[in-house]
Amino acid sequence: MQNPLDHAARVLAETDPVRRFHAAEAAAEAAAAPYKQAAEEALAELIAQHGGNRAAAARELGKTRQALYMRKKRDPAKSSSVAAAEQVQPARRFDSLEEAEDALRDWAGDQQEVTDRLDVLLLGALAAGADPVDISENSGVGLDTLRRIRPAGNIAVSRLNEYGPEIDDFARAVHARAATLRAAATSTAEHAAADIWRHAAREIARNAAPAALMPDHGLRKEDFATVEDFVEAVVTRKPSEEEEAEDAKPLSPSASAGPDAYLAATYVAFRREAARGRLGSERTPQEAAVGEAVQAAFGELADAILHLRTTGQVPPALLTEAS
């Protein structure tokens, strides 16, 4: 059985307030469930001892009959072990506890990605001059959430043009930086940091600059009326078997709103990863070094994206590396 203190420590160590809130609520509900069940079973036993007379059972408990009635009305599914046993709910099948836990973590990651995309969408609407009340009515998001994501009232508005050459240059520069780090890596920590950059380079190219790193496929910008038409042709082109084998992952949902929307959500995710604390004092020095290198890589990538979006230019350090 999981140690409640260990679980509580992990919940309290969560740096993201939204995830910490939901994790704490879930932990509190899980911890209270056995005691609630025990109380309901004791109540059902006491009522049975009184021949089904709830008023007599209430008097012995020092409660009113109405209080017991309201208790049952609030949670009828848990009013007795028999009633609880009759509840039939669909459940997914897992071959092991580890598989179930992995699925829960995947779901949490998906929800966090949705939250990241929503946050930058809401901030964009605020920056465009939308009234918070109108945003809340149109999106279903509460005003408290709007206040949470905009605590100081400052919003960084992007200076990028959709599908502009700066984004292509940025994707190539991140790719070059990843290649440089990978070639120079000698330690496990350095290899881990290089992997973060390599993965980021591929995702940024796919989702924000689809033409930046693709091989020659016979399509030229000059043959299309607009850049958007060219990008659409590149994205919808049937890939070769080799390209399909290299990366069959679908585009990020945030990319459907344009490359800057993807970069904005990616910045939020990278900054959060860079701010994560150590996972525990029991880690070995090598594990700690890897963790610090990974955090630093996410921080550098976040800084690079922020510079690109706020200035409309590729960070000079990345341009130097790519040349």
Side-chain angles (χ1 to χ4, degrees):
M1 180 179 294
Q2 188 177 49
N3 186 328
L5 294 179
D6 291 342
H7 186 65
R10 284 194 293 272
V11 170
L12 296 177
E14 173 58 59
T15 58
D16 182 78
V18 176
R19 296 183 67 173
R20 186 166 68 247
F21 175 85
H22 290 304
E25 274 203 333
E29 183 177 346
Y35 300 105
K36 288 182 178 180
Q37 181 65 27
E40 295 301 335
E41 291 176 354
L43 176 59
E45 184 178 342
L46 181 60
I47 293 173
Q49 289 178 358
H50 285 281
N53 189 329
R54 298 182 67 86
R59 285 194 298 272
E60 188 168 346
L61 290 173
K63 297 180 178 295
T64 65
R65 186 178 185 281
Q66 288 78 11
L68 293 189
Y69 172 78
M70 291 304 296
R71 181 189 183 99
K72 181 179 180 180
K73 187 176 181 180
R74 281 196 306 270
D75 200 357
K78 296 182 179 179
S79 60
S80 70
S81 58
V82 175
E86 291 175 351
Q87 300 298 313
V88 178
Q89 298 290 346
R92 175 175 166 178
R93 178 182 179 277
F94 293 103
D95 292 330
S96 67
L97 174 60
E98 290 75 14
E99 184 181 339
E101 291 175 341
D102 286 342
L104 291 172
R105 281 189 284 268
D106 288 343
W107 180 87
D110 291 341
Q111 295 303 303
Q112 187 61 62
E113 183 180 350
V114 170
T115 299
D116 292 344
R117 298 201 309 273
L118 175 62
D119 283 358
V120 297
L121 172 63
L122 296 175
L123 287 173
L126 288 169
D131 185 88
V133 175
D134 292 337
I135 294 176
S136 178
E137 290 179 352
N138 290 329
S139 66
V141 174
L143 291 173
D144 287 342
T145 298
L146 291 174
R147 284 189 286 269
R148 172 185 65 79
I149 67 172
R150 191 188 183 186
N154 297 321
I155 302 175
V157 179
S158 177
R159 296 182 59 183
L160 287 174
N161 293 318
E162 296 289 275
Y163 302 114
E166 298 84 3
I167 302 179
D168 285 350
D169 291 342
F170 180 75
R172 293 189 182 95
V174 173
H175 178 75
R177 172 66 171 160
T180 299
L181 290 174
R182 192 173 187 184
T186 57
S187 67
T188 303
E190 290 172 345
H191 279 290
D195 285 342
I196 296 298
W197 277 84
R198 182 170 59 87
H199 178 75
R202 184 174 62 180
E203 292 302 296
I204 290 170
R206 278 183 59 79
N207 293 291
L213 301 177
M214 286 189 174
D216 183 16
H217 40 58
L219 298 177
R220 299 183 305 167
K221 290 183 181 179
E222 295 78 12
D223 297 333
F224 294 84
T226 65
V227 174
E228 287 76 12
D229 291 341
F230 170 69
V231 171
E232 178 67 18
V234 171
V235 173
T236 58
R237 180 185 65 88
K238 181 175 176 57
S240 65
E241 293 183 4
E242 181 178 331
E243 290 170 336
E244 287 183 335
E246 181 179 349
D247 192 356
K249 182 179 178 181
L251 294 175
S252 166
S254 57
S256 61
D260 184 60
Y262 167 79
L263 289 172
T266 300
Y267 168 81
V268 174
F270 284 1
R271 179 57 63 202
R272 182 177 58 252
E273 292 299 326
R276 288 188 186 278
R278 294 188 177 187
L279 299 179
S281 58
E282 73 280 358
R283 294 168 64 187
T284 66
Q286 184 182 46
E287 290 172 333
V290 169
E292 291 170 0
V294 167
Q295 284 181 280
F298 277 120
E300 292 167 359
L301 282 160
D303 289 342
I305 292 174
L306 180 63
H307 185 282
L308 174 70
R309 296 187 68 250
T310 55
T311 68
Q313 299 177 350
V314 180
L318 282 184
L319 278 179
T320 302
E321 190 114 32
S323 60

